[in-house]
Amino acid sequence: MSLLRNYFSGYLSFRSSETGRAWAREREEKKRLLSHAFSEKMLKEASDEEFVNVLTNALSSLWAMAIWTRREERINTIISRNGVKKLRDMFYYLIYSDDPLEVRFDNFRKNVWGLGAAAITEILCFVEPKKYAMWNKKVVSAIEKLGLLEDLTRTLSLKKASVLEINGHQYVKIIE
């Protein structure tokens, strides 16, 4: 428990620093951007041109997209391979449907090319932060540092090598 206390104390120090305050402002801006991009109004009523512009900005802001050296090209490929209508419909279904989360998550992963679990969970987390959790390399690394990764992989029925590639059922367990 002292390990967790030490990490938490370090986090509080970071948050009170200028760097931490800038990080918090960046997160608030990202929340605003993603909430707008994936709002019901944007997904249902915006023109295709406006939606593509806002979607491009939103996807560019994702930490999950930072691995791509040619990020703009990758985003354009995601949009062209999936199509604007399909992306609108799939994001709407993922975020606003009453179907169980694990069904929505798996359906999105199966039907949308180019966006994996890290991108999906990042979007969900910033759109509805009290409802969803982020799942990416940094989260897994933090869990590992706390000595909880082995228990988590067992709980989720995952192999350590594929811990980032989760399905909807596993994502629901992560949130729980």
Side-chain angles (χ1 to χ4, degrees), residues 9 18 62 69 84 97 99-100 102 116 154 165:
S9 176
E18 184 52 44
L62 296 180
T69 54
V84 174
S97 173
D99 287 351
E102 70 183 71
R154 192 172 29 256
E165 294 306 314

Tab-separated table of all heavy atoms in Angstrom, residues 9 18 62 69 84 97 99-100 102 116 154 165:
chain	number	residue	atom	x	y	z
A	9	SER	N	1.177	10.413	-3.966
A	9	SER	CA	1.825	11.625	-3.470
A	9	SER	C	2.587	12.329	-4.600
A	9	SER	O	2.521	13.556	-4.750
A	9	SER	CB	2.779	11.272	-2.328
A	9	SER	OG	3.474	12.402	-1.887
A	18	GLU	N	3.428	23.694	-12.385
A	18	GLU	CA	2.997	24.361	-13.612
A	18	GLU	C	2.794	23.345	-14.744
A	18	GLU	O	1.846	23.435	-15.513
A	18	GLU	CB	4.005	25.431	-14.037
A	18	GLU	CG	3.585	26.226	-15.256
A	18	GLU	CD	2.170	26.834	-15.145
A	18	GLU	OE1	1.818	27.389	-14.094
A	18	GLU	OE2	1.415	26.738	-16.136
A	62	LEU	N	-5.776	12.216	-30.428
A	62	LEU	CA	-5.720	10.988	-29.630
A	62	LEU	C	-4.285	10.559	-29.349
A	62	LEU	O	-3.448	10.523	-30.247
A	62	LEU	CB	-6.445	9.845	-30.352
A	62	LEU	CG	-7.939	9.992	-30.575
A	62	LEU	CD1	-8.475	8.765	-31.312
A	62	LEU	CD2	-8.675	10.198	-29.263
A	69	THR	N	3.781	8.167	-37.565
A	69	THR	CA	4.604	9.294	-37.986
A	69	THR	C	3.888	10.125	-39.052
A	69	THR	O	4.094	11.313	-39.142
A	69	THR	CB	5.969	8.818	-38.537
A	69	THR	OG1	5.733	7.860	-39.560
A	69	THR	CG2	6.810	8.222	-37.436
A	84	VAL	N	-17.621	8.066	-44.520
A	84	VAL	CA	-18.139	9.036	-43.562
A	84	VAL	C	-19.428	8.533	-42.909
A	84	VAL	O	-19.575	8.588	-41.685
A	84	VAL	CB	-18.352	10.420	-44.230
A	84	VAL	CG1	-19.037	11.391	-43.287
A	84	VAL	CG2	-17.014	10.975	-44.713
A	97	SER	N	-25.994	4.056	-28.159
A	97	SER	CA	-26.949	2.946	-28.200
A	97	SER	C	-27.230	2.429	-26.787
A	97	SER	O	-26.389	2.526	-25.885
A	97	SER	CB	-26.395	1.805	-29.047
A	97	SER	OG	-27.230	0.670	-28.954
A	99	ASP	N	-27.742	-0.753	-26.364
A	99	ASP	CA	-27.238	-2.128	-26.343
A	99	ASP	C	-26.134	-2.234	-25.284
A	99	ASP	O	-25.488	-1.236	-24.946
A	99	ASP	CB	-26.671	-2.516	-27.712
A	99	ASP	CG	-27.753	-2.736	-28.752
A	99	ASP	OD1	-28.948	-2.768	-28.394
A	99	ASP	OD2	-27.400	-2.870	-29.943
A	100	PRO	N	-25.892	-3.447	-24.782
A	100	PRO	CA	-24.827	-3.624	-23.792
A	100	PRO	C	-23.477	-3.133	-24.335
A	100	PRO	O	-23.186	-3.290	-25.526
A	100	PRO	CB	-24.798	-5.136	-23.552
A	100	PRO	CG	-26.153	-5.615	-23.973
A	100	PRO	CD	-26.592	-4.698	-25.080
A	102	GLU	N	-20.472	-4.262	-24.052
A	102	GLU	CA	-19.591	-5.242	-24.687
A	102	GLU	C	-20.006	-5.524	-26.132
A	102	GLU	O	-19.158	-5.715	-26.991
A	102	GLU	CB	-19.489	-6.525	-23.875
A	102	GLU	CG	-20.688	-7.400	-23.818
A	102	GLU	CD	-20.449	-8.592	-22.909
A	102	GLU	OE1	-20.384	-8.413	-21.681
A	102	GLU	OE2	-20.320	-9.701	-23.448
A	116	GLY	N	-8.224	0.822	-32.850
A	116	GLY	CA	-8.194	-0.293	-31.917
A	116	GLY	C	-8.712	0.095	-30.539
A	116	GLY	O	-9.273	1.181	-30.333
A	154	ARG	N	-5.190	-12.575	-15.396
A	154	ARG	CA	-5.920	-13.787	-15.013
A	154	ARG	C	-7.429	-13.498	-14.971
A	154	ARG	O	-8.226	-14.254	-15.506
A	154	ARG	CB	-5.418	-14.283	-13.655
A	154	ARG	CG	-5.870	-15.651	-13.292
A	154	ARG	CD	-5.219	-16.248	-12.036
A	154	ARG	NE	-4.796	-15.300	-11.020
A	154	ARG	CZ	-3.518	-14.941	-10.804
A	154	ARG	NH1	-2.553	-15.433	-11.541
A	154	ARG	NH2	-3.211	-14.084	-9.847
A	165	GLU	N	-4.991	-5.862	-26.453
A	165	GLU	CA	-6.031	-6.240	-27.420
A	165	GLU	C	-7.204	-6.878	-26.694
A	165	GLU	O	-7.329	-8.091	-26.632
A	165	GLU	CB	-5.444	-7.171	-28.481
A	165	GLU	CG	-4.426	-6.498	-29.357
A	165	GLU	CD	-4.937	-5.221	-30.003
A	165	GLU	OE1	-6.056	-5.218	-30.536
A	165	GLU	OE2	-4.220	-4.215	-29.950
